[in-house]
Amino acid sequence: MDIQYAQPVVDDLDLDELQNESKKSKSTPIIKDDNMNELTILNLPYLWMENNLKTEILNITTIVEFVLLGFSDIPNLQWILFAVFLVIYLTILMCNSIIILIVRTDSALQTPMYFFLSNFSFLEICYVTVTIPRMLMDLLTQKGNISFFACAAQMCFVLMFGGSECLLLTVMAYDRYVAICNPLHYTLVMNQKVCIQLVTVSWISAVPVVIGQTCQIFSLPFCGSNTINHFFCDIPPVLKLACGDTFVNEIEIYVVAVVFIMVPFLLIVFSYGKIISSILKLSSAKGRAKAFSTCSSHLIVVVLFYGTATITYLRPKPNQSEGVGKLISLFYTVLIPTLNPIIYTLRNKDIMVALRKLLTKLLT
């Protein structure tokens, strides 16, 4: 029996790929029987490899949406969670809107400190609106489908507003530093023009960086599962779905986190170190108590926000537990924005006085 060899022909692969693969695979034997009829034996390993390649290409190119699992692992609590998060969202909107209204209408609050606070309140409204309404819709419909573009947009805005909050908290710490450590020059240093410039820089500085980072993440090939075990499109769970090497993206995340989280946090720590040093030098106990009261609320917000953000974005690799990641994310996207207006109002006498004035006007 004569044995001849013929190379397999595959139309879907280009010539270079065919040549490379043909070197690795054995030729397909063609066997002639006694009547000289050709019997072709299929090269099964080669065909399996070709089929596997086509499947991977299909998986990469067909992912047009993701599925947010959210809290689907506790189906019996879906309606309770919906009610809780709805109340929380409405509370955040109402409390922060009241702060903005009070600062705008009360002449006693027309100072840099409250100008920054009103901007922070508006930023908080924007921040929670990116995540909570989407989470409420998923809880209501029991579906977590989100398009590729919508997922990228959500991540972009969460990072953008989060970065702006980091910078604005730093500006607020600088304002307290000047007010306490250099009170005689406070009105000169923190004039209206400087305040507007600081707020503008806080709002727009993170925009180009975040857009670039989001584009790079969503330019990665996604294959296999399209399920995101989270309640919004955050960096760590999305990176888990990416195919190939994400080392460069992880390094970029670390760099951005250092610039927008660690550097502002260190500046805040330095500012409060100077502030505490100056407060302790005050001879009056009443003066020390007043100085501490104006700074303590801001310091509480800083510790809560920066603490949770640092844990999340300085550990973007998939070694973080998904359950722990969701819990931490709930802190800085839902719980802390809920506490912020309460902290700033209950611990601030000027805000409470202005609130009583507003309520008196509304009731009379």
Side-chain angles (χ1 to χ4, degrees):
M1 212 183 269
D2 298 330
I3 297 178
Q4 299 176 356
Y5 291 90
Q7 298 292 337
V9 179
V10 182
D11 295 331
D12 294 322
L13 299 176
D14 60 30
L15 185 57
D16 292 333
E17 290 175 343
L18 183 59
Q19 290 174 346
N20 291 334
E21 294 301 331
S22 63
K23 291 177 182 178
K24 298 177 183 178
S25 63
K26 292 182 179 180
S27 301
T28 302
I30 299 177
I31 303 175
K32 291 184 179 181
D33 59 13
D34 295 336
N35 297 322
M36 300 305 291
N37 294 321
E38 293 183 354
L39 300 175
T40 304
I41 300 175
L42 294 177
N43 191 341
L44 294 179
Y46 184 85
L47 293 177
W48 175 85
M49 180 190 66
E50 178 196 353
N51 183 63
N52 195 41
L53 177 62
K54 288 181 179 179
T55 303
E56 289 183 3
I57 293 172
L58 186 63
N59 286 339
I60 292 172
T61 56
T62 54
I63 291 183
V64 294
E65 69 173 16
F66 296 100
V67 179
L68 293 168
L69 289 183
F71 304 97
S72 58
D73 54 335
I74 44 176
N76 296 332
L77 299 178
Q78 297 290 299
W79 288 106
I80 296 176
L81 290 174
F82 176 81
V84 170
F85 289 132
L86 179 61
V87 171
I88 287 175
Y89 181 58
L90 294 177
T91 302
I92 293 171
L93 293 182
M94 182 182 67
C95 292
N96 283 290
S97 298
I98 289 173
I99 291 176
I100 295 171
L101 179 63
I102 289 174
V103 171
R104 290 294 181 90
T105 57
D106 197 303
S107 58
L109 301 180
Q110 302 301 311
T111 63
M113 174 180 167
Y114 294 108
F115 171 71
F116 295 136
L117 180 59
S118 64
N119 273 272
F120 185 75
S121 296
F122 180 68
L123 187 56
E124 286 280 74
I125 292 174
C126 297
Y127 185 60
V128 297
T129 301
V130 178
T131 56
I132 297 182
R134 173 78 211 191
M135 181 169 57
L136 292 173
M137 186 182 73
D138 292 341
L139 288 169
L140 185 64
T141 61
Q142 304 290 309
K143 296 178 181 178
N145 299 66
I146 183 171
S147 69
F148 192 87
F149 176 77
C151 187
Q154 187 184 52
M155 178 185 290
C156 183
F157 281 111
V158 167
L159 297 177
M160 190 184 303
F161 292 135
S164 297
E165 278 201 24
C166 290
L167 296 178
L168 191 55
L169 285 170
T170 309
V171 169
M172 294 169 74
Y174 175 70
D175 171 70
R176 292 298 82 207
Y177 164 74
V178 177
I180 294 174
C181 298
N182 198 7
L184 297 179
H185 298 90
Y186 179 68
T187 54
L188 180 65
V189 174
M190 302 301 294
N191 57 63
Q192 185 179 10
K193 182 180 178 181
V194 171
C195 291
I196 293 173
Q197 288 175 342
L198 289 172
V199 168
T200 303
V201 169
S202 300
W203 274 91
I204 67 174
S205 293
V207 173
V209 177
V210 167
I211 291 176
Q213 188 175 58
T214 305
C215 289
Q216 287 187 331
I217 290 174
F218 282 87
S219 296
L220 293 168
F222 292 92
C223 58
S225 174
N226 66 337
T227 302
I228 301 175
N229 190 7
H230 215 288
F231 57 89
F232 74 98
C233 292
D234 204 3
I235 291 179
V238 171
L239 271 184
K240 287 183 180 181
L241 304 183
C243 298
D245 188 12
T246 59
F247 177 75
V248 174
N249 300 90
E250 290 167 9
I251 293 299
E252 290 174 353
I253 293 167
Y254 280 118
V255 172
V256 172
V258 168
V259 172
F260 286 96
I261 297 177
M262 290 307 299
V263 172
F265 180 70
L266 292 175
L267 291 174
I268 291 172
V269 169
F270 175 78
S271 299
Y272 274 98
K274 292 285 188 180
I275 289 170
I276 293 171
S277 176
S278 298
I279 291 174
L280 294 176
K281 292 177 182 178
L282 295 175
S283 56
S284 170
K286 185 178 179 181
R288 287 196 298 270
K290 184 178 180 180
F292 271 121
S293 66
T294 58
C295 297
S296 59
S297 56
H298 180 253
L299 195 57
I300 293 170
V301 172
V302 166
V303 171
L304 290 173
F305 183 78
Y306 277 95
T308 52
T310 300
I311 294 172
T312 300
Y313 295 109
L314 286 178
R315 294 180 59 196
K317 275 192 76 69
N319 55 9
Q320 188 184 80
S321 168
E322 293 176 340
V324 173
K326 276 199 282 191
L327 182 61
I328 294 172
S329 297
L330 274 176
F331 266 89
Y332 68 82
T333 59
V334 178
L335 182 60
I336 295 174
T338 308
L339 295 176
N340 285 347
I342 298 173
I343 293 170
Y344 279 116
T345 53
L346 294 180
R347 297 186 61 85
N348 191 301
K349 292 181 181 179
D350 294 334
I351 291 286
M352 293 302 295
V353 170
L355 182 58
R356 292 192 190 98
K357 286 182 183 178
L358 180 63
L359 291 174
T360 303
K361 287 182 181 179
L362 292 175
L363 294 176
T364 55

